[in-house]
Amino acid sequence: MKKRRHPAGRAVAAGKATAKSCRAWLWVPLLSFARGIVLVALMSVAMVMFKRLGVSNTWASFGTALLSLPFVFRQLFHPIVIVLPGRGWWLVGSQVAFCLSMFGVAWSLDPKGDGSAVWVCLSLASLVGAFHDVLSGDFCNSLIGNRKPSRLSEAVSLALLAAGLGLGITLMIAGDMEVLTRDVEDSWGLAFKVLAFVMLLVAVLMAISLPYGMERIEHLSFGEEWSGLVNDVRRWWTNSHQWAFALFVVIASLHEFFVWKGVLMFLGDPGSIGGLSLGPQEVAFAQSTLGVFAMMVGFLIGHAAVRRDGLRRWVLPMILLATVPDALLLYLAYFMPSSLSVVSACLMAESLGCGFGMAGFVSYVRYYGRGRHLPGYGDSCLALLMLSVLLAGVFTGIVQDVFGYRRFFILVVLLSVLAALSPLLLRLTGKSRPNK
């Protein structure tokens, strides 16, 4: 006689599934927040720190740009990540390792040292951060798959929130401590310790809420995964249409990374070399607090507009709003206003337009990737974005040191015009619409 399952048993099973789902959705915001902290610590906080320590724009920008190299080659981590057992615990462990690297940076800030220990710790943090980023993306795909595309806006918003909080809080702490102690090394050591504690708190929360039963059912060997990666890369780069798409991604995002790097230097540099001579606290308020908040608002508005009316209707306004406000940076460079409110208003307007345009860019990239193997496609797109970060970091300091801020921001405006024209690349190759 066939045994009937008691309704209470079904209720218990449903409760367990709901609990697991809740734990999974608790992890997704934490993952997005942690990824934002990692990137802002390596790409922005480190550069501002080196500037305050007296390093030139060229070397501060170039050195921190090299920290993005592991993220550019992020696909090399994927065959390792995909075969790891207990990926959730590896993810938590990578966050703890990143915390230790941040503590290492703080303890290595010795005024009598040559700075090599700081670079070693930052390099280790970069490798661990790239591993964490790839593992986070893979784990998110396992948790939510492609069933919730609307969650993309939440993930990007949380990453922006983490960037704003991470950069704003650390700059304010370092700036206040510089005023109180007159010791730059100790001040920035404390700032990096705060970053380490924030990431450690995230790691503890993730360990407590670790969702169980979310591992992959199939387990391929490392050789099989590596062979699949090589085949995917070969298929991508032997297709001329994919080259056009890669150029579109790099060109469309390059000017914004030039803006981000250049503005951080411009706000803090002295007026004798064309900067606005703002302290770390004022930079944190204008760029990190107000600027990132405006970018997040712009992204959410743009995402809502695309979901309501479709991308085709909003593509031209998004291109204009992402590029035209860059002219405000020329105003700041030429007139150098002393009012923090004027500077903040210009940066907010530029960031709001950037966020609105970012929503269109993300929507198009996701639209173009429909019908493809999205995890590998997403890794390729993120690698291309980090290539833009690398290029911007390598050339930002050099251009500024050689030509000054006025000509630097003229270059930014020219790059924004090039970014506005970049969608023509896809139209010329006949790939403005994705493969079904």
Side-chain angles (χ1 to χ4, degrees):
M1 182 177 177
K2 187 176 180 180
K3 294 178 66 176
R4 296 181 61 188
R5 189 174 182 183
H6 195 275
R10 290 196 295 271
V12 171
K16 289 182 178 179
T18 303
K20 185 173 73 172
S21 176
C22 290
R23 293 162 75 94
W25 282 113
L26 179 60
W27 257 54
V28 173
L30 288 173
L31 281 175
S32 302
F33 189 83
R35 294 172 84 176
I37 290 291
V38 169
L39 290 173
V40 78
L42 294 172
M43 309 302 165
S44 298
V45 176
M47 189 184 75
V48 177
M49 176 192 71
F50 285 122
K51 286 286 299 168
R52 299 299 295 177
L53 292 174
V55 179
S56 68
N57 284 343
T58 296
W59 288 109
S61 179
F62 180 80
T64 51
L66 294 181
L67 298 178
S68 62
L69 268 177
F71 294 85
V72 175
F73 297 101
R74 55 183 290 118
Q75 286 176 302
L76 297 178
F77 289 93
H78 205 265
I80 302 172
V81 165
I82 206 72
V83 299
L84 287 176
R87 290 173 299 135
W89 290 111
W90 278 96
L91 191 55
V92 173
S94 66
Q95 291 174 351
V96 174
F98 187 82
C99 294
L100 295 177
S101 300
M102 292 293 99
F103 279 122
V105 172
W107 293 327
S108 302
L109 287 171
D110 185 358
K112 298 180 180 179
D114 59 358
S116 58
V118 176
W119 284 111
V120 168
C121 293
L122 285 174
S123 300
L124 291 174
S126 176
L127 288 171
V128 172
F131 176 79
H132 171 269
D133 198 65
V134 175
L135 193 53
S136 299
D138 184 71
F139 210 93
C140 280
N141 288 324
S142 297
L143 290 174
I144 62 176
N146 301 316
R147 299 185 301 273
K148 297 286 186 180
S150 62
R151 297 290 180 176
L152 180 64
S153 63
E154 298 177 15
V156 175
S157 300
L158 284 165
L160 289 174
L161 177 63
L165 290 177
L167 185 59
I169 291 174
T170 50
L171 292 189
M172 287 182 181
I173 290 174
D176 290 338
M177 290 301 297
E178 282 187 27
V179 173
L180 292 174
T181 65
R182 303 293 179 181
D183 192 321
V184 178
E185 287 80 8
D186 285 347
S187 301
W188 284 96
L190 178 60
F192 272 90
K193 288 177 184 177
V194 170
L195 274 177
F197 277 118
V198 170
M199 184 61 85
L200 185 60
L201 177 61
V202 173
V204 170
L205 291 175
M206 294 184 72
I208 294 173
S209 60
L210 180 63
Y212 300 102
M214 302 301 293
E215 298 297 326
R216 291 181 183 273
I217 298 175
E218 72 279 3
H219 292 283
L220 300 179
S221 66
F222 176 79
E224 291 171 320
E225 289 294 342
W226 181 260
S227 176
L229 170 66
V230 172
N231 290 332
D232 287 345
V233 171
R234 183 170 61 247
R235 283 196 301 269
W236 178 283
W237 295 112
T238 54
N239 187 331
S240 60
H241 301 309
Q242 297 290 24
W243 276 97
F245 178 74
L247 285 174
F248 161 73
V249 172
V250 173
I251 293 173
S253 57
L254 187 61
H255 80 291
E256 291 298 345
F257 294 123
F258 263 90
V259 169
W260 182 263
K261 290 274 189 179
V263 166
L264 281 176
M265 297 188 300
F266 172 63
L267 296 178
D269 271 341
S272 57
I273 60 172
L276 294 183
S277 304
L278 300 183
Q281 306 95 320
E282 294 169 314
V283 174
F285 176 75
Q287 175 74 349
S288 308
T289 305
L290 297 181
V292 174
F293 176 76
M295 188 180 298
M296 187 167 59
V297 171
F299 178 83
L300 292 175
I301 294 174
H303 182 77
V306 170
R307 290 199 65 188
R308 186 188 63 187
D309 302 322
L311 182 58
R312 185 179 296 275
R313 179 175 177 180
W314 287 99
V315 63
L316 182 59
M318 284 179 167
I319 289 175
L320 293 176
L321 284 173
T323 55
V324 172
D326 288 346
L328 292 172
L329 301 176
L330 273 178
Y331 163 77
L332 293 178
Y334 274 88
F335 293 95
M336 300 179 65
S338 58
S339 171
L340 182 60
S341 59
V342 173
V343 174
S344 300
C346 291
L347 294 180
M348 284 185 68
E350 194 280 331
S351 298
L352 186 69
C354 172
F356 194 75
M358 185 194 305
F361 175 78
V362 171
S363 298
Y364 181 80
V365 168
R366 189 174 184 85
Y367 173 75
Y368 186 89
R370 281 193 318 185
R372 303 173 189 272
H373 180 55
L374 284 182
Y377 171 79
D379 270 344
S380 299
C381 292
L382 288 173
L384 291 170
L385 285 175
M386 295 310 296
L387 177 61
S388 295
V389 174
L390 175 65
L391 293 174
V394 168
F395 291 106
T396 295
I398 297 174
V399 172
Q400 189 283 319
D401 278 341
V402 174
F403 297 106
Y405 279 113
R406 292 180 177 179
R407 292 179 180 176
F408 171 80
F409 285 120
I410 290 176
L411 174 63
V412 167
V413 172
L414 294 177
L415 285 174
S416 69
V417 174
L418 191 61
L421 298 176
S422 61
L424 294 177
L425 278 171
L426 302 176
R427 289 192 174 275
L428 291 175
T429 57
K431 296 295 288 186
S432 60
R433 297 183 64 86
N435 293 331
K436 298 296 187 203

